[in-house]
Amino acid sequence: MRLERAILIVLDGCGVGAAPDAADYGDTGENTPNTLGHLAEAVGGLNLPCLQSLGLGNILPLQGVPPADAPRAHYGKVQPHSKGKDSVTGHWEMMGIHTETPFPTYPNGFPPEVIRAFEARIGRETLGNYPASGTEIIKQLGMEHLRTGKPIVYTSADSVFQIAAHEAVIPLEALYRMCEVARALLQPPHHVQRVIARPFVGDSPDTFRRTENRRDFPLPPPENLIDALHARGIGVYGIGVVPELFVYRGFRHAERTQSNAEHHDALLRALQSDCAFIFANFEDFDMLYGHRNDPAGFARALTEFDAMLQELLGRLRPTDLLILTADHGNDPTTPSTDHSREYLPLLVYSPSNARGRDLGVRRTLADIGATIGALWGVSAPNGKPIEP
């Protein structure tokens, strides 16, 4: 049976064990990651019947999710190729882009020439300029921000320039304009991968909370599978952060949804659209729980996703291809609150499959793009198609 539609779902941050080059990223010792494996142990076992039936427990030992005797999906794991452990490099690699040179990071904050130029262009001084958790830095500097109106600039282990501001102090459109200024300013050698707007509300450190009005301003990607599909007239539907990561280029429809529940609703709408490739990111695992070292919340989000997935499977056509994977790890049980360099899960399912098989270890996420492109005879660079 010829497959006619592809749905790619990224479980943001759901790694399945330290990659061979994890030490190159500082993920060793007490920070040695295994996001899903450690998570399952920390909460006394996971309950994911739908993912179990597809073969998630066949990929790695997972307490509460034993291997399926007859997995419904092809299963395996992917060793990421690109240099980086973040959403941009992960999603880009899925679409055939290998990032061979890491983007710059700033473990000591941004150099004076960057911060001074940014302040001069926005007409005000800034606070912060050091690596930090986004929730912690607004607790530390939020009151001073309220008094002075100075935006909070910070970074992380990733290649990011983040700007936090209270929505009542710096309105959203003004914050987004500041991000556009930073994006234009941050050119080589300071070409950070993403500028991110981080608005928040509240009136004290105890009540400050980030809102869902985040917006990402990434570097534009090289030509990739989405461009090739668009050129062929094949509709692409982007959900969540996905359209932003590709600067909205090549998408017929794009929904910047902000939570797993919203992503799920958008995904069901996308199934009713005229698009043949649906590309969605479910980010709550990473954003709400991985970065905050919250195993219980992470496990709860997986349980909720499993129920959503069960509903999705019931709406698939026999000619659909569903691929589940991740973009990086984010182990909530290690001392680190940063992304982790891990193998990534891979489940490839179609209702027309009789039974899944072991895919072993794929050497690049670009195999996913190659598999999707092959449905329409469109080649994707750097990958080898998986036989559906």
Side-chain angles (χ1 to χ4, degrees), residues 2 21-23 33 70 82 84 102 106 124 155 170 175 236 288 309 318 326 382:
R2 183 178 180 276
D21 57 355
S82 293
Y106 297 87
R124 63 177 90 188
T155 187
I170 299 177
L175 175 59
V236 182
L288 298 182
L309 181 61
N382 297 315

Side-chain angles (χ1 to χ4, degrees), residues 238-261:
I239 296 171
V241 75
V242 170
E244 285 183 358
L245 299 181
F246 294 89
V247 297
Y248 289 87
R249 197 177 73 212
F251 292 89
R252 183 175 296 174
H253 298 288
E255 292 201 49
R256 183 49 172 110
T257 43
Q258 298 279 358
S259 68
N260 281 4

Side-chain angles (χ1 to χ4, degrees), residues 173-218:
E173 290 306 318
L175 175 59
Y176 297 155
R177 284 195 296 273
M178 288 181 181
C179 290
E180 291 170 350
V181 166
R183 179 70 281 165
L185 172 69
L186 292 165
Q187 300 298 320
H190 300 299
H191 54 303
V192 298
Q193 206 171 59
R194 276 189 290 176
V195 175
I196 306 177
R198 293 288 198 176
F200 66 97
V201 295
D203 55 16
S204 71
D206 291 335
T207 61
F208 289 146
R209 65 171 182 84
R210 298 194 296 191
T211 73
E212 294 184 340
N213 293 316
R214 164 183 170 166
R215 186 173 293 181
D216 292 44
F217 299 79

Side-chain angles (χ1 to χ4, degrees), residues 3 14 16 19 21 72 78 107-108 110 129 142 170 204 213 216 222 226 228 278 286 297 313 381 384:
L3 299 178
C14 291
V16 292
D21 57 355
R72 301 163 67 190
V78 182
N108 300 310
F110 298 98
N129 189 27
I170 299 177
S204 71
N213 293 316
D216 292 44
I226 294 172
I278 301 167
D286 174 76
L313 295 188
K384 297 179 180 179

Side-chain angles (χ1 to χ4, degrees), residues 97-117:
I97 302 166
H98 277 175
T99 304
E100 303 291 358
T101 302
F103 291 95
T105 56
Y106 297 87
N108 300 310
F110 298 98
E113 63 268 23
V114 169
I115 290 297
R116 288 175 188 151

